[in-house]
Amino acid sequence: MAPTYNIAMVSDFFFPQPGGVESHIYQLSSKLMDRGHKVIIITHAYDGRTGVRYLTNGLKVYHVPFLVIYRSTTFPTVFSFFPMFRNIVLRERIDIVHGHASLSNLCHEAILHARTMGLRTVFTDHSLFGFADAASILTNKLLKFSLSDVDHVICVSHTCKENTVLRASLDPLMVSVIPNAVVAENFKPYRNPGEIPKETFGQDPCPARPLGPHDTITIVVISRLFYNKGTDLLTAAIPRILENHPNTRFIIAGSGPKAIDLEQMIEQNVLQDRVEMLGPIRHEEVRDVMVRGHIYLHPSLTEAFGTVIVEAASCGLYVVCTQVGGIPEVLPSHMTVFAKPEEDDLVVATGKAIAALRANKVRTELFHEQVKSMYSWTNVAIRTERVYNGISGAISEAEFYGYDASDPATWSATRGRSGVQSFALIDRLKRYYGCGIWAGKLFCMCVIVDYLIFLVLELWFPRDKIDICPDWPRKTVDERREPGVR
Amino acid sequence: MQGHDAFMRVFWPTDLPRSDVRGVVVGWRNSALDVFVLAILDEVEPRNVETALQIGTLTRNAPHPVSRIYELCGQSSMRVLGLANTPESVEVDSSWIRVTTGPGRRVPAVTCARASNIQIILFERPLPGRMQYISLNPIALALGDKKGSFRHDSPESGDDDDEKEERIRKEKKRRLVEKLKLHSVFNRVPSAKEKALPKIVNQINWAWELEQLLQKNVSRIGTRSKRSQSVSERVVESATIARDMMVLWLWDLFTFYVLPVIQRLFIMALMSHRFAAELLLTVLEWRLRPRYAALKDISATAQQVEIRLQQFCYWPMQYVTLRLRKNDWGSVTTSHPDYIRFYNSLWLVANDVIIGIALGSYIIDNSTWVAEEISDLLSTYTVEALQSSISWLMGWPAGLKLNSELALFLGDLFLWVIDYWSSCIELLRPVLPHIIWFIGFSSFAGASMPIALFSDLLSVLTVHIYSFYLASARIYHWQLNILISLFHLFRGKKHNVLRNRIDSCDYDLDQLLVGTILFTLLFFLLPTVVVFYLNFAIARMAIISLKAVFDTLLSCLNHFPLFAIMLRVKDPRRLPGGIRFELRDTQDFRLATNNSPHPIPSTSVIYLKVRTPSLPHRQMLTIEQSIPLNFKAMFHQYFQMGNRIRKHYLSPHVVLCLLTGKFVPPLNRKNLYSLQYSMLPARRAGVLEMWDAVNSLPSPKRRAVPIVVPVLANGKRLSNNGGRIRSYG
Amino acid sequence: MAVIGWAKSGLIANNLDHRRQNAHHPPHLYIRRPSPTTAEYTVTTRPPPSLTLRLALVSLTTLRLVLFLVALLLLTTHLSLLPRPVTQHPYLHPLLASPPYQALVRLTGPPLPAWAFAAAACAVLYVCFAWQLHTTERLLVLRGLGIQTSTTGEGVWGSWRPATRFIPTEKIRDVLINEAFRGFEVRYYLVVLVEGEEEVVVVFPRLLPRRRIVEAVWRGVRGCLYEQGGEGRGEKG
Amino acid sequence: MAPPLSTLSNLPPDQVTASANASPHHRHYPTLVRSSTLPTLIPRSHRSDPSHLSPEDAFVSASPPRRPGLFDGGNGSGSEMGTRRMRPKDTSRSRSRRRKRFQKLLWVKQSYPDNYTDQATFLENLQRNPRVQPYDFWPLVADSTTIVQHVCSVIIFIVCFVGIFQERVSPVSVVGWGSFGTFLGWLLWDWWVGQEPQGNFDGVPRIREFRPPRRQDSEAGLPTPNPGTPSVSNTPALISAASSSTNLFQEHQNHHHQQQSQRPPLVGQDSSNGTSLSIPGHSHSRSVSSIHSVTSQTSGGATPRTAFGTEGYRDGAPWPVPPSKWGRTQLRLRAFKSAILIYFTLLGLSPILKSLTRSTSSDSIWAMSFWLLAINIFFFDYSGSWVGVHKFPVASLSTNAALMASTVLASRLPSTGQVFSLTLFSIEVFGLFPVFRRYARHRSWRYHVVLTVLLVMSASGGVGMILGCEADQWKNGLIGTVVGCLISALAMGGCSWWLIGLQKYKNEIYGPWDPARPIIISRRHWDDD
């Protein structure tokens, strides 16, 4: 039977804060637990969420008390997380540490400490970064630091993979592409008339299919209204779209600093009756909003994966999106109309989409099944499990990396080779040393200090003083639950 | 019920007279195997006792209605629980207990046919005559009826924000607790034994009185050998009865003719006083608008007067309730806290007046000297010190780079005002001795009065500092704002009011020029204003802290839990702070079961500790009693007030106000004094209610007999019983 | 062990007092159980009685006694409380006249003010009198009555009179084991959820014993507290 | 293999930021990538297309400086990895999935393992240095003249202050000459404005200005109506000049002001857009704060400005184009009004100013004014954009700093008259003169050069006089003039050479992950947050 692991998902971003990374972690963990692994989640303390929690499916969450500085990322102290992390890892008998989200300091620290403690580490990158401005340069340095000694990296799209490979100068072979997924059951299209639509969202909840030539076409936009979500494009494009196409209307959900611009736009050219702004909505309401529309407009400027367009397609919406980042890889061409991130092109693309819908050329009612067949979390979990097997040597390197490790000697010190990736301090130092002329030495110093701290901790809080906590009953893969607890 | 739990619980009073004669154990049977022993009636037949309990012979001529006992103890009747010191040969009902006790043994040996294991809970009976009692949760010294009342009737003021955030925190906590409720692993129905605890507490409180009653009436049941009284005894008895009659007759005369008159007069005086109080209170509480501050919020004296008046209005009501207590069983413990509160406030006022007389006489005797001192203090600290500091600021102090012109201007301005003020003080100086004399005289109404007057005097005599503080704060604040906006202009930005953020904006050339020059100007003038502002702010802070000291003093005088502390010293059992148990070491039941051939019921003896220092026992010596009502609970409100003051004055908000020159509001009197009101009800009783209450007071005529006689009788009977038992022993 | 619910961690994390757990001796668990309906769990840092321990205790007590007396004597002499006949007493006099004592007197003499010395002496007296060596925490379970926790702290301020808290049974919502962050580690501890109270009651708050002890106590409490001795009852339904 | 790694893995931040300002619009057009602009130092990888990066680049780029010892191993890996990278295909082939070729899509069920790296498609649309213009020497020099002008005017101001402070020069003469010059300048300006043909009253300068962004727009496939052909001629010079200036300027910038790094990762920005940076927009919510322009030159908050500009000339000026007569009288009136206002304000304030900093020690004042003037020089808006006469293109921060410096300096002067005159003079120098300079440069190149030469000479002469003793100040002045001219010439040439030399270190990686820069035409306003 397949080996099962004790996995610790580490990230700054987790519930109660909503977001893509959060739901990714949650879904992945629960699916992994279904496959018989033990998963815990380590994140920082949110307001009103401190200490140790169990989610209802037995997922254990450690909300580590930490200082939060900006948009719920903790303060980057390189070592301060180590004692607590070690305690948790030991008492939970973790053997794989899986960090998420390259903006989360908690995750980077955890990866560093985990390597120091001799654990396997995986990192999942959810976001794209340019090489242009100083902020992303700092981020890239940090990323390179923590990824210099990681066992494997998972990216959510090929673009994301290229980006990560370049940023952290990794070996492409140790970067896997495992996309996000959606819970297709939560995003069913509006089909059965028996369903009572939520009246909270406006007047006509049920879009009529097939469309007549003069039916109103509703265009839905759901995104946080930030600059890099392309809200400026949206603000510029909406009036032109509306004036080109008489009976169309917009539904915009989400909030952010750019909301004021949108409102000003609505007021400037009087569009209150054709643009409906719902403000912030919860994630479980997203579907109810989506099924009211025919077209989903996604004007984002950068996007690693773009889960929301998959959700929209799963709801049976025809997707108009900008051709940036990983978006072109996500959906087949018959579900989407691509536009360049320019106002004119966006308007043109939307026009095309509307025309196609009016001509009933798009079989949107088939989208749901197709999307369900494309993306499922179980599939993601299986592929992630393969990565775990690979790094922990359960499957041979030849199978995992597609080559036979001819002589481990040459590879022992190079970047991520599973099985033979040695935890010896000197090899790790070699890996870190190459991160740059000055950065390399700095990183080496950090690693050495980390190792010393590790030794001190071993003396100070000896392992036998730490209580091993009992496991939640593991599910066997054939879904037969053991009764009771212990 | 009997089937599954075979464990029995026996509550046993430790101070039950121990004799080894055969007896019948009488008490409450809370549930089948949960018995509460009240008394052991010696030398009686169980079935007689049973019948007597049924027909109520044993509770004959009780001083108060018997039904009350049953309703409070939650049982329909007392039962025979078992036999004491009876040989095994006598067969008894299976649910009865066999007790073997005696003078020698501390802990009675209890066995029961139905119980496999027995819990004996020994307890010490509180004496109701001395108002001792036990309760599950500590006695509340403060009046509990107004948690929220002070929030909403206090006018919204500057320091409501910390109140608000406190409330928010509470709210969060409450929600967390709600979530906690959601988590219930399984909700089990408490068994009869577990639900019985409050009843049992009552029964313990009643134990003493009931035992007295039973023992008094035990003679009515045919005891075995009732020997007749000797002649001498009969003579003595008749004599005592005759004397009692005499006393009674005189007492009746007195109550019938003299007392009503006195009562009438007293009530009249009371009511008139009440009217006056009502008038004054309305004056004190009158506010121009509901938002505005009333007189009592402004001046400490008014506050003090109001508190006193409130107390005066409240006392009769309290007294009435306490009087009503008299015609009920002594074991009804509901009114004990009222009693303590009532006498506490009386004591406090008395104390206050005593100290006040001393203080007042002192002040009056050398009022001139005090006046001198005060005027000196005034001139030195509120005039000269200020002048010197200002003149110090006028020539560049401490190497600060002040602008001399501005400093001169400001300094001259303030100095001029101070001179004017000092002339006013001079005007006031001759009047001062009279004021002092008046203050001293007022202190015959209690030492708190002069203190309040002093604090008011302080705030009146330092009004100039207050105004200086206001003025300089205004200037400073205004300049700071201008500087900030000009700095935005300097950076070529402006504060966008619509979006509440900093936008970039392009100014015209002339705007830029003027703005920049003004910016430079104000920037270089800032330090001068700052030092002046700081000077006055510090003075203001000093005065505020002084007033805070006065207020603390006042609240000490008004709310010191004097009576409680004295009770604590005198008789700790009157201040119950909860109960605690203590496991007496008996043999471990496993050993007991395996080494004894026939399984005796494994017994565990538990002492229910109600703050008794006695219970003479070696193991007990190691365990001292926990403080009945610990001092922390007594002074809880002081800690509360301290927290409030600290949170208001040492909060970052205040520091921010100081730095940005906003006005620092003094602590709202209502909040500060809520401590002192905690002795008073949220709303005082109206005049009519009081009238009804006072008249509803029962005339002591008929009551007098049962009050006086039975106590005597009880006492005698008690000694008799004891003696008799011993004679049999 | 499944008795860890949703909302409690927040409460506990605030609740746990972060006083230093005395590490010099790991806490033991003693169980007194005279009848199946009553049990007392004692967790103490006092090591199991042995000869050496007894000797150490005896010597310590004598040392304390000596210190106490010396401080008392010094105090009395400095404040000259002793009446003359007492000082001239044949037993006491040689001691008072003995050179070491005189040296002590001179040492604590005039250079340091009288009040300071008095304060120091009082402090010494108090310490000698009230110093606690061990922390002992008890949990008394009475079926049908309730649970009573009691704590005897170590050190000077840990009052040697146990602070007790009695919780009647029908007030007890649940007894369970919880985890929380404490300093740099995650600890298990036993809590009693009390009906209608904000704070949960932490059992053994000072020396939070290890999971082994806590679990034993938890099972014992469950078995002893409720009538149908519920071993399996506490598990998450 | 070594260099690409060095360029890839450790770029100094300033170079990347410097290279980062490039307009996005070439992204979809790899043909436009000028491989010629690739620094020669970067060797071609074995790929034919230099702008593509092979997986080896990504991988090996990390190794050499990291382990000089194992470098050979890493190097061997480079070759050996090509074979290895084929292996997954072999294995898959053995699993007989050969017919399905790898697609770079997520929704298809790939027949390859997740960590398979396809050589054909991996990093296929990565580009290096897509948009780098080579700078040529003379335009750079020509453009550095603006800076020289400004520095010289600052020096002149300082000279005047020193003169007044040491009572060598009478303040009245200084302010008199200054005002006279200003008046002349104003007359000239007025005349020019009158001369300006009605048609391109707004248009011509705009067309010149917005030539570069519009070209890019058109390349970016954006419909550009009404291409202003007439002015194409002198565009490149202007662009390169402006760009070089901004770039040279960034060389200063990056050392001094790190607020660039605080900028959010917005779109990069081609330096030629810098020319359009400082156009003030309409009266509402548009900014000309030069701190913005500078930082946004690197972090490129300015694209919309271009967009705005194009829009500005496309659908007519948002503000009403004033007919010349009326506009000119109105302008005159405004000029008079502000002049009067400023005059009397100064008159009123100068007594207070006189005693303002008496208590402050002199050296702190000197230091303060030095820093303020430095701020003025560094934050000055050198991009000689032209908005039309109706608007003074003032850069708030630098102007304010200069004015504050002058106020502080003036407050050291003993008499009110001196204070007043110095402040007034500073206003003329820092407030009005830059406008005149800019306009002159915009008018014709000759005026510009003449003005530069004059300024340099007078500044250096003044410095010479001040430094020298009273007696033979004219000789000192002469010497100073000569030396100053030499120094300035050397500086201009040297800096230009330096900048051109720096160009070859420029290396910008560009790929689909970079946030796209939205091209928004009908933007009402722009605010970057």
Side-chain angles (χ1 to χ4, degrees), chain B residues 5 7 9 117 119 121 173 179-180 183 185-186 188 191 194 580-581 583 585-586 588-589 604 625, chain C residues 7-8 11 32-34 36-38 142 144-145 148 161 164 166 168 170 174 176 199 226-227 233-234:
Chain B
D5 80 27
F7 105 90
R9 190 163 70 178
N117 55 38
Q119 252 180 20
I121 297 168
K173 201 65 171 289
K179 269 196 202 154
L180 195 55
H183 158 86
V185 168
F186 63 94
R188 46 185 304 285
S191 70
E194 291 156 5
R580 58 182 280 255
F581 295 88
L583 182 61
D585 44 5
T586 53
D588 196 317
F589 73 98
S604 66
Q625 283 320 299
Chain C
K8 287 176 303 304
L11 287 175
R32 286 169 63 203
R33 194 159 183 182
T37 68
T38 313
L142 309 165
L145 281 174
Q148 172 174 297
R161 154 187 304 123
T164 64
F166 174 71
E170 78 266 42
D174 200 353
L176 41 86
E199 306 282 327
Y226 299 127
E227 309 240 329
R233 291 288 293 280

Side-chain angles (χ1 to χ4, degrees), chain D residues 189-315:
Chain D
W189 154 293
D190 199 38
W191 177 56
W192 281 340
V193 170
Q195 250 185 354
E196 238 177 30
Q198 184 56 38
N200 48 17
F201 177 83
D202 268 29
V204 166
R206 288 175 167 282
I207 290 172
R208 291 216 184 115
E209 266 328 304
F210 295 116
R211 189 59 195 138
R214 237 186 53 234
R215 189 194 62 222
Q216 290 157 359
D217 297 349
S218 57
E219 284 158 358
L222 185 122
T224 65
N226 172 17
T229 38
S231 59
V232 183
S233 58
N234 59 359
T235 314
L238 192 53
I239 298 164
S240 60
S243 61
S244 59
S245 77
T246 45
N247 270 346
L248 171 56
F249 179 59
Q250 279 149 15
E251 297 310 323
H252 299 300
Q253 274 315 302
N254 301 325
H255 308 314
H256 291 293
H257 304 285
Q258 281 310 318
Q259 63 263 55
Q260 299 160 350
S261 54
Q262 320 307 349
R263 308 289 302 177
L266 291 180
V267 279
Q269 160 84 0
D270 183 348
S271 51
S272 63
N273 286 356
T275 55
S276 73
L277 273 183
S278 65
I279 308 153
H282 320 129
S283 43
H284 66 274
S285 87
R286 277 293 324 280
S287 99
V288 202
S289 75
S290 57
I291 177 169
H292 262 205
S293 53
V294 166
T295 47
S296 52
Q297 276 169 8
T298 56
S299 68
T303 326
R305 292 212 174 89
T306 33
F308 158 72
T310 39
E311 167 262 348
Y313 90 85
R314 157 200 272 179
D315 50 10

